[in-house]
Amino acid sequence: MATNKARIGIIGAGVISGIYLEAPKKFDILENAAIADIDLPRAQAKAEQYGVPKACTVEELLADPSIDIVINLTIPKVHAQVSQAALEAGKSVYSEKPLATHREDAAKLLKLAEDKGLRVGCAPDTFLGAGLQTCRKLIDDGWIGQPLAASAFMLGAGPEKWHPDPEFFFQPGAGPLFDMGPYYLTALVSLLGPISRVTGSAQAVRTERTITSQPKSGTKIKVNTPSHVAGVLDFEGGIVATLITSFDAWYHGLPPIEIYGTEGTLSVPDPNTFGGPVKVRRAGAEGWSEIPFSHNYPANSRGLGVADMAYAMLSGRKHRASGDLAYHVLDTMQSILESSREEKHIHLSSQVDRPAPLPLGLPAGILD
Ligand SMILES: NC(=O)c1ccc[n+]([C@@H]2O[C@H](COP(=O)([O-])OP(=O)(O)OC[C@H]3O[C@@H](n4cnc5c(N)ncnc54)[C@H](O)[C@@H]3O)[C@@H](O)[C@H]2O)c1
C-alpha cells in the first residue's frame, strides 16, 4: 500500500455491492477507487449512487496502478477466474464466498498469492461481528466448559423467492451448502477449531424451480446442485457437529447454532448476521441468560474482513478472514458432497489454525 489507506476496486456491481461500497464510511483505512462489472451501466449506476470516482471495465480496473485491493463480488462460478486476474495484475484480493467452486482452483489462487507476496481474503466476515466474537470469548473463557458437540441449521424456502437474478444459486458452487454453509462453517471453525472428517447426504428432489421474485417471476430454473444437504462434521479433538443446509423448507423450528459443553450450552446467533442474541444456559440453571456483547460491530458490517486485511497489510500480521480459512471451509463443503456421492467418510487434507480473536476495547472502525 502506497499510503496508510487501502484503495479498493470492486468487481461485480450486483445486490451485495451496496454494503461493501459503504464500508469506507465505517473503516477509515478503506477508500473506494473504482467499480467494474461486465454490465458497465450497472457499475456506472452504483458509482453514481455511492460517489465512487470511477466506473469502468474489469480490464481498466485491473490496470489501475493505484488500486491495492480488489473486492470480488461476482457470481460464484467466476470467483476464481476474477480473483486470479486480480492477483496476476499485482493486486491483493478479497472475494465473496465461496473462494472458488473447486478446491483445485482455490489452491491455485493461494499459491499465486504466496508467490507474488499478495493477500487473499474471503467472506464471510460475520465471525468478526459482536455476536460471534462474544461467543468465541465465552468458549475460550470456559463458560460452557469443554465443548463436546454442536449443531447448525440453515433452512429456508429458496432464494428464487427474493433475489432478482437467482439462477446462480442452483448451479454447482452455490446451492444451500456453498451459498450459506460458509457462514456456519466459518463460525464453527472460529469457535471450535479445524474439521478433520466429514460425512454427507445431499439431494435435489425438485429438479426444477420457478422464480417468484421480480423481474423474472414465472421463469423456470433447472436445479443442477443439491437443494438439501445433511452433513456430519468431526473436528480435530473429537467434537462432532451436525450441519443441515436447505432451500427446501418453508418453515422450521431449529436454532442456527448450538454448542454443547461439559458445563452448559451456548446458543449462537444466526452467523449470517453480526449481532445477537448470545445466550448461555449453564448446567442446572433455571433458564437461558442473554449475554451482553464483549465486542463491537453488532450491525451489518460487511467489509470488516477487508478492513482487517488492510490493517494486516500495513503491519505485516495475519488477516483473519483469510484465504486459508476459506480454503478449509471450501474443502469441507466439497468433501460433504463427495461423501454423499461416494457413500463414505472423507478425511480432509486442509488444515487451518483458528483465526485470532479481535482484541477487546478497539475503538469503532479501528482494527489494530
Ligand atoms: N445477495 C446477497 O444477499 C449476498 C449476501 C452475501 C454474499 N453474497 C455473495 O456475493 C456474490 C454476489 O452476489 P450478488 O447477490 O451481488 O449477485 P448479483 O447477481 O446481484 O451480482 C453479481 C454481479 O457480478 C457481475 N459479474 C458476473 N460475472 C462477472 C465477471 N466475470 N466480471 C465482472 N462482473 C461480473 C454481474 O454482472 C452482476 O452485476 C455472490 O458470491 C454471493 O454469494 C450475496
Side-chain angles (χ1 to χ4, degrees):
M1 275 158 54
T3 66
N4 60 358
K5 286 219 185 233
R7 285 180 50 83
I8 301 297
I10 289 184
I11 301 181
V15 171
I16 201 62
S17 63
I19 188 78
Y20 281 93
L21 286 160
E22 285 177 354
K25 281 197 218 146
K26 299 168 206 151
F27 304 102
D28 266 356
I29 195 163
L30 305 179
E31 181 181 346
N32 286 330
I35 182 162
D37 198 293
I38 38 168
D39 182 346
L40 188 55
R42 267 197 190 188
Q44 286 163 335
K46 293 281 179 190
E48 195 166 317
Q49 187 181 352
Y50 291 92
V52 182
K54 183 161 88 175
C56 56
T57 65
V58 173
E59 293 69 29
E60 285 164 346
L61 187 148
L62 294 180
D64 181 339
S66 79
I67 290 173
D68 302 298
I69 299 176
V70 165
I71 302 184
N72 177 359
L73 306 180
T74 58
I75 54 174
K77 76 170 181 191
V78 297
H79 280 178
Q81 82 187 50
V82 170
S83 293
Q84 182 169 333
L87 291 168
E88 279 166 356
K91 322 264 179 229
S92 288
V93 64
Y94 183 93
S95 174
E96 252 304 337
K97 44 74 188 170
L99 182 56
T101 55
H102 293 95
R103 56 171 95 73
E104 296 71 18
D105 294 336
K108 254 197 251 167
L109 291 178
L110 299 187
K111 172 82 174 59
L112 181 59
E114 193 186 339
D115 290 349
K116 288 185 157 264
L118 297 167
R119 303 273 183 148
V120 175
C122 190
D125 52 7
T126 44
F127 76 97
L128 300 174
L132 292 173
Q133 286 292 304
T134 300
C135 289
R136 169 76 182 260
K137 182 160 166 50
L138 289 168
I139 290 180
D140 290 357
D141 290 352
W143 282 83
I144 59 163
Q146 181 191 355
L148 303 171
S151 50
F153 302 107
M154 190 305 296
L155 297 94
E160 76 277 27
K161 315 263 182 308
W162 63 271
H163 196 283
D165 296 306
E167 292 87 346
F168 78 80
F169 288 98
F170 297 96
Q171 306 311 319
L177 180 62
F178 276 61
D179 181 54
M180 295 301 289
Y183 297 105
Y184 291 76
L185 290 165
T186 307
L188 287 170
V189 172
S190 164
L191 295 172
L192 302 175
I195 296 160
S196 55
R197 189 183 81 165
V198 303
T199 317
S201 279
Q203 274 302 340
V205 174
R206 263 186 296 173
T207 54
E208 189 177 83
R209 321 263 298 206
T210 304
I211 300 177
T212 54
S213 61
Q214 294 302 333
K216 296 183 174 169
S217 186
T219 308
K220 306 268 188 226
I221 306 176
K222 194 159 163 21
V223 177
N224 291 320
T225 195
S227 55
H228 185 97
V229 185
V232 177
L233 317 167
D234 292 272
F235 287 75
E236 276 176 19
I239 297 166
V240 176
T242 308
L243 169 74
I244 294 180
T245 60
S246 182
F247 287 159
D248 287 335
W250 274 109
Y251 309 106
H252 69 90
L254 298 163
I257 299 181
E258 287 180 347
I259 297 178
Y260 315 107
T262 51
E263 309 293 328
T265 296
L266 174 65
S267 169
V268 177
D270 180 346
N272 186 19
T273 70
F274 289 76
V278 175
K279 291 188 273 183
V280 168
R281 186 162 179 185
R282 283 165 55 88
E286 289 284 303
W288 294 90
S289 302
E290 187 168 340
I291 309 294
F293 294 139
S294 54
H295 286 73
N296 206 338
Y297 309 111
N300 188 352
S301 307
R302 279 189 170 80
L304 177 51
V306 186
D308 179 64
M309 188 166 101
Y311 275 97
M313 286 163 70
L314 273 185
S315 71
R317 68 164 167 82
K318 285 186 176 174
H319 56 288
R320 293 175 171 86
S322 69
D324 289 342
L325 178 57
Y327 182 83
H328 185 60
V329 166
L330 173 62
D331 190 19
T332 302
M333 298 189 297
Q334 196 172 335
S335 298
I336 289 172
L337 296 188
E338 285 166 359
S339 163
S340 177
R341 273 199 304 273
E342 296 168 20
E343 303 187 353
K344 61 178 192 192
H345 296 304
I346 305 275
H347 291 266
L348 301 192
S349 51
S350 63
Q351 285 217 323
V352 71
D353 292 331
R354 292 204 298 168
L358 284 174
L360 290 171
L362 289 175
I366 309 285
L367 288 156
D368 269 337

